[in-house]
Amino acid sequence: MSERDESLSAERISEAEHAVMEALWEKSPQTAAEVCDNVCDRRGWSIPTVKTLLSRLVAKGALATEPQGRRFLYTPTIERAAYVGTESRRLVDRLFGGRAAPLFAHLAESEALSAEDIAEIERLLAEMKK
Amino acid sequence: MSERDESLSAERISEAEHAVMEALWEKSPQTAAEVCDNVCDRRGWSIPTVKTLLSRLVAKGALATEPQGRRFLYTPTIERAAYVGTESRRLVDRLFGGRAAPLFAHLAESEALSAEDIAEIERLLAEMKK
DNA sequence: CTCCGACGATTACGTTTGTAAACTGAATGC
DNA sequence: GCATTCAGTTTACAAACGTAATCGTCGGAG
């Protein structure tokens, strides 16, 4: 019960881990220290915490390491778009029965849509029609 | 370290708990056994599991109990719309910097929007303009 | 050549979650 | 009345998470 599947990257990324991923999607590769520079204050973390998260993400196959001298450079192996996609879908499935329209309706109803959002969405819709 | 705040219902609802909430939003009040009838097969749960989840939800203030003879009737204390709202916002904040338009764009791009979704959204947009 | 400091690796530890068995008290059939 | 049954409560326990301290090692400063 130790050899888990290491190739299929379907491992779930937790919220804390996600913060680390964001830093690396923003810019990569980065060392552990650099990642910490980018997230530690915001989250109130210390370096050991970041290192743990990095290790777990490597174990989950979400990050790749490349040795640079005696330290590692970390790079995402999964694309942000893919992650965002699965997470979005999860939510839509769980809360809106897989339909996006109710989500939109909900956002609209709860004032979560700004004027710009609406304009942007109209633009996208127009574009889709072409 | 035992008396947690019992009035403010900001407690986080986990995924398994959410399934129970859905059953009760669908129809309430219900007994534990009834809830189980509605979710146990789908999730492969046994009654004890449902009971645990119900208790935790009561502890979190998400459900209210009303004694009916020797058993309890469970009723949600929070509205589904409120839950859906906070969860949606969480996702939009976390993944799209709080902007709904990028979420929409993403759904559109990834084919997650059906023709009906689009029609429905156009309808909603038209309505909002009025 | 030796010691220090910087890294990753290992270990830690409390909490939450998923999943459920054991316990306890009350209602109910005989 | 007393045993069985059935509800809720308590306890259990492993995995995941959040957060971090400690260990072991390797390379660079003296």
Side-chain angles (χ1 to χ4, degrees), chain A residues 20-119:
Chain A
V20 169
M21 290 302 290
E22 285 294 344
L24 284 160
W25 277 321
E26 180 81 27
K27 172 175 177 297
S28 75
Q30 289 185 69
T31 65
E34 286 168 342
V35 171
C36 187
D37 286 346
N38 291 330
V39 301
C40 280
D41 345 353
R42 200 178 358 240
R43 308 271 308 202
W45 287 342
S46 51
I47 302 188
T49 299
V50 173
K51 291 189 178 178
T52 299
L53 294 172
L54 286 169
S55 299
R56 287 180 182 169
L57 285 166
V58 171
K60 288 180 181 180
L63 292 180
T65 56
E66 180 194 352
Q68 184 224 33
R70 45 201 255 66
R71 69 187 110 162
F72 279 160
L73 292 179
Y74 296 88
T75 314
T77 61
I78 66 180
E79 292 187 49
R80 192 183 126 87
Y83 174 75
V84 164
T86 53
E87 288 303 303
S88 302
R89 186 120 12 182
R90 281 177 79 79
L91 183 96
V92 171
D93 286 349
R94 225 161 58 85
L95 300 185
F96 301 97
R99 304 292 320 285
L103 164 59
F104 179 84
H106 186 87
L107 291 171
E109 216 167 87
S110 60
E111 313 283 323
L113 292 177
S114 66
E116 296 120 281
D117 282 333
I118 292 171

Side-chain angles (χ1 to χ4, degrees), chain B residues 14-17 44-46 48-49 52-53 56 60 70:
Chain B
S14 79
E15 186 154 337
E17 287 161 0
W45 287 341
S46 50
T49 300
T52 299
L53 294 172
R56 287 179 184 170
K60 287 180 181 180
R70 48 206 247 62

Side-chain angles (χ1 to χ4, degrees), chain A residues 15 18 80-81 83-85 87-91 94-96 99-101 103-106 108 110 113-114 116-118 120-122 124-125 128-129, chain B residues 15 18 80-81 83-85 87-91 94-96 99-101 103-106 108 110 113-114 116-118 120-122 124-125 128-129:
Chain A
E15 186 154 337
H18 171 237
R80 192 183 126 87
Y83 174 75
V84 164
E87 288 303 303
S88 302
R89 186 120 12 182
R90 281 177 79 79
L91 183 96
R94 225 161 58 85
L95 300 185
F96 301 97
R99 304 292 320 285
L103 164 59
F104 179 84
H106 186 87
S110 60
L113 292 177
S114 66
E116 296 120 281
D117 282 333
I118 292 171
E120 175 77 0
I121 290 169
E122 281 179 329
L124 286 165
L125 276 174
M128 289 173 70
K129 281 204 170 162
Chain B
E15 186 154 337
H18 171 237
R80 192 182 126 88
Y83 174 75
V84 164
E87 287 303 303
S88 302
R89 186 123 9 186
R90 281 177 79 79
L91 183 98
R94 224 161 59 85
L95 299 186
F96 301 97
R99 304 290 320 284
L103 164 59
F104 179 83
H106 186 86
S110 60
L113 292 178
S114 66
E116 296 120 281
D117 282 333
I118 291 171
E120 174 76 2
I121 289 169
E122 281 179 328
L124 286 165
L125 275 173
M128 289 174 71
K129 280 204 171 162

Side-chain angles (χ1 to χ4, degrees), chain B residues 7-82:
Chain B
S7 55
L8 294 183
S9 53
E11 299 271 8
R12 189 108 179 80
I13 291 174
S14 79
E15 186 154 337
E17 287 161 0
H18 171 237
V20 168
M21 290 302 289
E22 285 293 343
L24 284 160
W25 277 320
E26 180 80 26
K27 173 174 175 298
S28 75
Q30 288 185 71
T31 65
E34 286 168 342
V35 171
C36 187
D37 286 345
N38 292 329
V39 300
C40 280
D41 344 355
R42 202 179 355 243
R43 308 272 307 202
W45 287 341
S46 50
I47 303 186
T49 300
V50 172
K51 290 187 180 180
T52 299
L53 294 172
L54 285 169
S55 299
R56 287 179 184 170
L57 285 166
V58 170
K60 287 180 181 180
L63 291 180
T65 56
E66 179 195 351
Q68 184 224 35
R70 48 206 247 62
R71 69 188 109 162
F72 279 163
L73 292 179
Y74 296 88
T75 313
T77 60
I78 66 181
E79 293 188 48
R80 192 182 126 88

